[in-house]
C-alpha cells in the first residue's frame, strides 16, 4: 500500500464520508467545500512526480489483490498517465469550485452529486494509473456507471433519463467488447500487465487473435471517446448539470478512450489495420462533429459536437503517429512522431479551453435562464468577463494565435502533411485525403467557434426573451474558467515548459521504441512562428474561408435541413432499440405460447433430435442380442396386453375408458413383475396402481359440467412424429445399453445379504440397509407430497372455485 | 406333464381375462364394466397362483392376497360410486 494507491483510493474512501458531512453541515456550509481539498491534495501529490518522470523514470508499484489470478492493483506512473492524472485532479478541483457556486445549496441533493463525482474521479485516476488490464477494466466500468449516475442527476426529467440510458448502453457495450479484447491479449501473451504485454507483443503480431483483440479494444476506446458512429450519446449527455458536462464530457471521461488508444499504441501500433482504423475513424468523427456543431442552436449541444470533433482530431493524430512504428525506430521515422506529440499537446489544450467554455456556458445559462442562441445576444457589455473568457476559449478552439489551440493546430497540420507523404500503407493514393479533410473540418470548427462567441455576446440584446435579468456572474463562479483561460494563454507563450516536463515523457511512454536522445526534440521546440510554410497558409485560408462562411451563414444554413430528420444516427439508434425490443418481444411471444403442450413439444423434440443426432454421428447403435434371455410365451402375451391397453388409452372415446385402460396397463405390469420374479415390486405396483386409478376417477368425477368433452384425442401429425421419435430414441438407447455391457454388475455383492445384514429378503435389505439414504429421502418426498396435497385442499383462497363442502 | 397342465390352465385363464377385457371395453353400462374388472381381478389371482407353482416359489402368496383385497375394495368403491355418486361420504355435522 504505497502513497499512490492511497491517493487513487482516497476519493472512494472520502465518498463514504460525504453524506455524513452533508447531514451535519449542509445548512451552514456548501458540501463542495469539504470535497474541494481532495483533488487539490492529489494534484499536489502528483506534481511531485514531474521531476522524476521527466528524467525518464517509471514508477511501478504493486498492491496484491488477487495474486492467484494474476490480477493485482499495479500502478505505473509514466508521462502518459501523469498528464491524465494532472488533468483529472486539476480540472476536478476547478470543477468542484465552480459547482459550489453553480449548484444551489438549498434545492439540490448535493451529497448525491459529490458522491458520484468522487466515485468518478477515483475511477478515472485508477483507470489511468492501472497497469493491470483487468483492474483497468474495473475502473473503466466504474467511470461508466458514475457517469450514468451523473447524467441522470436530475432524474425527474425524462430527457436526463434518456441520455443516461443511452450513454450507459453505448459505453458499456464498448466496455464489454474491450474486456473481450483484453482477455485475448492476456491469452496471447500470458500476462496481465500492460508493460509486459508491450514487451512481449512482437512475438504475437502475426497471431490469429491479434486483429480481433485490436478491433475489440478499439471498440471500447471509440465508444468511450464518442467516435463516429458511437458519438450519439455525447450530445444527449448534456442533460447533466454543467459542471459535469465540463468535467466528464470535455476533460476526462471522453479522454479515457484516447488514453486507451495511446496506451495500447505500443502494442498494436505499426499494424496497417490500426493505422487506418484509428486515423480514418478520427477524421470522420472530426468532420462529422464539426459539421453538425454549426447546426446547433443550444450552446451545450454545440460544445458537445465540438468535443466530438476535437476528440476525433486527437484520435486521428494518434493513428497517424503510429505510422512511425512501422518504420522501425530510426531517425527518419522520428519525423512522423510529431503527430503523437500533437495529439498529447492538443489533449491538454482541449481540456483547458473546453472546460472553460463549458463553465462560461453554464454561467450564461445561470444568469439568463436560457442556452438558446436564438434568444441570446448583446451580452458583451453586460457580462464582460464571460465575454473575454469565451473569446479566449473560442479562439483557442478555432486555432488562432495567441492561444494554445493555434500551436496544436499547426502541429496537426504538420502531421497530416507529413502523413500524406508516407511511403507505406498505400498512402501514395489516399494520403492527400488527410490534409483536405483536416482543413475542411478546421473551417467548420472556425465557423462554430465564431457562432459560439458572437451569436451569444454580440448583436442585439433581447431582455424580453430572457427569463432573468442578465448580469455578470459571482466571482467564485468566474475563478475556475479564469484559471483555465489563463492556462490557455500561458501555454501559448511558454509551451516548452509543458513540452519538456510532460509531453516528452508521455511520448516516451506511447512510442517506447525510440530510445535515442533527440527523437522527440521537436516537442521541446514548439514555436508560434515557423516562417511562411504550408501550415501557416492553411491557417490563413481557414480564417478567410471561415469568416466568409460565418458571414453568409444565414444563406447556406438551410443545407442542414435538406437531410430529413430520420436520416441521422440518433434515429438509427432509436429505431434499433425499438426494433430490437419489438423483435425480441415478437420472438418470445412466438414460442412462449403459454400452452404446456407446446413446451412439451419443444422438450421432446429437442430430446429425441439431440439424442438421435448423437447416436447417428457417434455410430452409437450396436444391437447385440447374444446375451439376451429366451422369450417365453407369457411375456409375449403380457406385452400384447400392454400394447392393447396403451392403444386403448390413445383411441378411447371417453376419459373413463382411458382411465380404466391405464389401470389395466398398470396391473399387467404388475403381472410382468410377477413373471420376472419381483414379488415386492408386484405388491407395491398393485397397490399404487389401484390408488392412482382411484385418484384419476376422483379427478374425472370433478370435471366441470360445461365443456365436458366426450371425444377422442385429437390427431396432430406433429405429435405423432414426435411421439414416434421419442419412442424410437428410447428403444434404441435401451437396446444399445443392453447390448454393450462393459463390466459385470455388482449385484453378486448383495446376494450375501443374510451374512452382511441379516436379511433373507434381498430387495428389502438393499432398501433399508445397503442403500437406506435413498429410502429416507423417498419417504421425505412422500411426506412433502402429502403435505402439499393437504395445503392445496385446505388453504384455498376464498371465492375461487367451488367449495366442495357446500 | 404337470407343467403342461399348468400351461393349459394359464392359457384358459388368459382367454377368460381377454373376454373380460372385451366386456370392460364394450360393456354398455357401468355395472357391466365393474363386474368385468372384478372378474379380471379374480382371474389374476388364479394366474399368479399358477405362475407361483410354475416358478416353485412362495414369494407371490402376498400378491395373491393383495389382489383379492384390492379387487374387493375396488368393486365396493365402484358400487358406492354408482349408487350414491361419492365413494367416501362426509360427516354432515362439521
Amino acid at each position: 500500500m504505497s502513497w499512490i494507491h492511497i491517493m487513487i483510493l482516497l476519493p472512494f474512501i472520502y465518498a463514504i464520508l460525504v453524506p455524513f458531512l452533508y447531514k451535519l453541515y449542509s445548512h451552514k456550509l456548501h458540501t463542495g467545500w469539504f470535497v474541494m481539498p481532495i483533488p487539490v491534495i492529489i494534484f499536489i501529490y502528483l506534481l511531485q512526480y514531474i521531476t522524476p518522470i521527466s528524467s525518464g523514470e517509471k514508477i511501478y508499484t504493486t498492491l496484491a489483490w488477487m495474486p492467484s489470478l494474476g490480477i493485482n492493483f499495479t500502478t505505473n506512473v509514466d508521462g502518459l498517465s501523469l498528464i491524465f492524472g494532472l488533468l483529472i485532479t486539476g480540472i476536478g478541483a476547478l470543477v468542484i469550485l465552480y459547482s459550489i457556486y453553480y449548484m444551489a445549496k438549498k434545492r439540490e441533493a448535493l451529497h448525491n452529486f459529490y458522491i458520484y463525482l468522487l466515485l468518478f474521479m477515483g475511477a478515472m485516476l485508477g483507470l489511468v494509473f492501472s497497469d493491470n488490464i483487468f483492474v483497468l477494466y474495473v475502473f473503466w466500468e466504474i467511470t461508466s456507471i458514475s457517469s450514468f449516475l451523473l447524467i441522470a442527476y436530475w432524474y425527474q426529467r425524462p430527457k436526463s433519463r434518456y441520455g443516461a440510458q443511452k450513454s450507459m448502453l453505448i459505453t458499456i457495450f464498448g466496455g464489454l467488447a474491450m474486456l473481450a479484447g483484453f482477455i485475448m491479449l492476456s491469452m496471447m501473451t500470458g500476462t496481465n500487465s500492460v508493460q509486459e504485454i508491450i514487451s512481449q507483443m512482437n512475438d504475437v503480431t502475426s497471431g490469429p487473435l491479434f486483429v480481433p483483440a485490436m478491433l475489440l479494444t478499439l471498440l471500447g476506446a471509440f465508444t468511450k471517446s464518442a467516435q463516429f458512429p458511437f458519438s450519439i450519446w455525447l450530445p444527449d449527455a448534456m442533460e447533466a448539470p454543467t459542471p459535469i458536462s465540463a468535467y466528464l464530457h470535455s476533460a476526462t471521461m471522453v479522454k479515457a478512450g484516447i488514453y486507451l488508444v495511446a496506451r495500447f499504441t505500443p502494442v498494436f501500433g505499426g499494424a496497417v489495420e490500426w493505422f487506418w482504423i484509428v486515423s480514418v475513424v478520427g477524421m470522420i468523427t472530426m468532420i462529422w462533429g464539426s459539421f453538425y456543431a454549426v447546426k446547433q442552436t443550444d450552446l451545450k449541444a454545440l460544445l458537445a459536437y465540438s468535443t466530438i470533433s476535437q476528440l476525433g482530431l486527437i484520435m486521428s493524430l494518434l493513428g497517424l503517429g503510429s505510422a512511425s512504428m512501422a518504420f522501425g525506430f530510426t531517425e527518419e521515422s522520428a519525423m512522423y512522431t510529431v503527430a503523437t506529440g500533437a495529439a498529447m499537446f492538443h489533449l491538454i489544450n482541449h481540456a483547458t479551453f473546453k472546460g472553460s467554455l463549458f463553465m462560461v456556458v453554464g454561467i450564461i445559462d445561470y444568469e439568463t435562464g436560457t442556452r438558446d442562441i436564438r434568444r441570446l445576444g448583446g451580452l458583451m457589455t453586460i457580462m464582460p468577463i464571460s465575454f473575454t473568457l469565451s473569446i479566449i476559449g473560442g479562439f483557442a478552439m478555432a486555432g488562432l494565435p495567441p492561444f494554445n489551440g493555434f500551436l496544436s493546430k499547426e502541429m496537426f497540420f504538420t502531421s497530416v502533411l507529413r502523413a500524406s507523404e508516407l511511403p507505406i500503407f498505400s498512402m501514395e493514393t489516399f494520403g492527400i485525403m488527410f490534409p483536405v479533410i483536416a482543413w475542411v473540418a478546421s473551417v467548420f470548427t472556425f465557423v462554430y467557434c465564431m457562432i459560439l462567441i458572437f451569436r451569444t455576446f454580440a448583436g442585439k440584446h433581447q431582455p424580453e426573451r430572457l427569463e432573468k435579468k442578465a448580469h455578470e456572474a459571482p466571482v467564485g463562479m468566474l475563478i475556475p474558467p479564469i484559471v483555465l483561460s489563463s492556462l490557455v494563454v500561458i501555454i501559448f507563450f511558454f509551451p516548452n515548459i509543458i513540452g519538456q516536463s510532460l509531453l516528452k515523457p508521455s511520448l516516451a511512454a506511447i512510442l517506447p521504441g525510440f530510445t535515442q536522445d533527440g527523437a522527440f526534440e521537436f516537442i521541446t521546440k514548439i514555436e508560434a512562428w515557423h516562417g511562411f510554410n504550408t501550415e501557416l497558409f492553411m491557417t490563413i485560408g481557414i480564417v478567410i474561408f471561415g469568416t466568409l462562411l460565418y458571414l453568409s451563414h444565414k444563406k447556406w444554413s438551410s443545407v442542414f435541413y435538406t437531410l430529413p430528420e430520420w436520416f441521422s444516427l440518433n434515429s438509427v439508434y432509436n429505431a434499433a432499440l425499438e426494433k430490437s425490443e419489438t423483435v425480441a418481444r415478437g420472438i418470445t411471444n412466438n414460442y412462449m405460447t403459454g400452452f404446456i403442450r407446446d413446451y412439451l413439444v419443444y422438450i421432446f423434440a429437442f430430446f429425441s433430435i439431440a439424442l438421435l443426432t448423437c447416436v447417428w454421428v457417434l455410430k452409437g447403435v450396436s444391437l447385440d442380442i447374444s446375451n439376451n434371455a429366451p422369450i417365453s410365451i407369457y411375456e409375449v402375451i403380457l406385452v400384447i396386453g400392454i400394447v392393447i391397453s396403451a392403444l386403448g388409452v390413445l383411441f378411447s372415446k371417453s376419459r373413463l375408458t382411458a382411465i380404466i385402460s391405464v389401470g389395466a396397463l398398470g396391473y399387467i405390469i404388475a403381472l410382468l413383475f410377477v413373471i420376472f420374479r419381483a414379488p415386492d415390486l408386484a405388491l407395491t405396483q398393485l397397490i399404487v396402481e389401484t390408488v392412482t386409478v382411484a385418484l384419476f376417477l376422483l379427478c374425472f368425477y370433478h370435471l366441470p359440467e360445461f365443456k365436458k368433452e366426450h371425444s377422442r384425442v385429437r390427431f396432430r401429425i406433429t405429435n405423432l412424429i414426435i411421439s414416434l421419435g421419442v419412442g424410437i430414441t428410447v428403444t434404441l438407447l435401451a437396446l444399445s445399453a443392453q447390448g454393450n455391457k462393459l463390466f459385470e454388475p455388482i449385484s453378486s455383492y448383495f446376494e450375501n445379504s443374510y451374512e452382511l445384514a441379516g436379511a433373507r429378503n434381498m430387495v428389502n435389505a438393499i432398501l433399508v440397509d445397503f442403500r437406506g439414504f435413498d429410502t429416507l429421502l423417498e419417504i421425505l418426498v412422500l411426506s412433502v407430497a402429502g403435505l402439499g396435497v393437504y395445503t392445496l385442499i385446505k388453504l384455498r383462497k376464498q371465492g375461487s372455485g367451488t367449495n366442495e363442502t357446500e | 406333464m404337470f407343467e403342461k397342465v399348468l400351461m393349459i390352465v394359464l392359457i384358459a385363464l388368459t382367454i377368460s381375462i381377454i373376454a373380460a377385457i372385451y366386456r370392460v371395453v364394450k360393456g354398455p353400462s357401468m355395472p357391466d364394466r365393474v363386474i368385468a374388472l372384478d372378474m379380471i381381478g379374480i382371474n389374476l389371482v388364479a394366474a399368479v397362483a399358477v405362475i407361483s407353482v410354475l416358478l416353485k416359489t412362495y414369494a407371490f402368496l402376498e400378491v395373491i392376497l393383495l389382489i383379492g383385497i384390492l379387487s374387493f375394495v375396488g368393486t365396493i368403491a365402484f358400487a358406492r360410486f354408482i349408487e350414491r355418486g361419492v365413494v367416501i361420504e362426509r360427516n354432515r355435522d362439521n
Side-chain angles (χ1 to χ4, degrees), chain A residues 495-549:
Chain A
N496 299 331
I497 299 174
I498 285 195
Q500 188 64 40
S501 59
L502 289 176
L503 292 183
K504 208 174 153 185
S506 77
L507 287 187
I510 299 173
L511 303 166
F514 290 92
T515 44
Q516 73 274 32
D517 284 337
F520 304 129
E521 273 313 303
F522 65 90
I523 206 77
T524 57
K525 296 202 191 69
I526 305 169
E527 287 170 348
W529 180 250
H530 300 286
F532 290 102
N533 52 9
T534 327
E535 293 91 330
L536 186 68
F537 288 124
M538 281 170 97
T539 309
I540 293 168
I542 285 170
V543 175
I544 294 167
F545 268 88
T547 315
L548 289 176
L549 275 180

Side-chain angles (χ1 to χ4, degrees), chain A residues 725-748:
Chain A
V726 171
I728 290 167
T729 312
V730 174
T731 313
L732 275 180
L733 284 179
L735 289 175
S736 307
Q738 174 66 25
N740 292 317
K741 283 241 166 87
L742 298 178
F743 42 78
E744 284 300 302
I746 57 165
S747 51
S748 56

Side-chain angles (χ1 to χ4, degrees), chain A residues 13-31:
Chain A
I13 298 159
Y14 200 79
I16 299 170
L17 298 177
V18 168
F20 300 108
L21 293 168
Y22 176 77
K23 233 183 171 57
L24 289 173
Y25 300 108
S26 65
H27 54 284
K28 296 189 204 118
L29 195 59
H30 198 283
T31 318

Side-chain angles (χ1 to χ4, degrees), chain A residues 531-609:
Chain A
F532 290 102
N533 52 9
T534 327
E535 293 91 330
L536 186 68
F537 288 124
M538 281 170 97
T539 309
I540 293 168
I542 285 170
V543 175
I544 294 167
F545 268 88
T547 315
L548 289 176
L549 275 180
Y550 172 67
L551 293 175
S552 61
H553 180 247
K554 286 227 169 20
K555 292 191 183 64
W556 59 269
S557 59
S558 60
V559 74
F560 288 116
Y561 306 102
T562 53
L563 286 178
E565 191 56 42
W566 53 265
F567 191 78
S568 71
L569 287 173
N570 261 331
S571 57
V572 168
Y573 164 86
N574 290 333
L577 215 57
E578 212 169 307
K579 195 84 195 149
S580 63
E581 276 177 24
T582 47
V583 166
R585 193 179 301 125
I587 289 174
T588 307
N589 290 346
N590 251 331
Y591 77 94
M592 298 293 283
T593 49
F595 292 117
I596 290 191
R597 60 160 182 267
D598 289 344
Y599 303 155
L600 287 176
V601 163
Y602 307 146
I603 292 168
F604 285 129
F606 177 81
F607 168 82
S608 52
I609 289 170

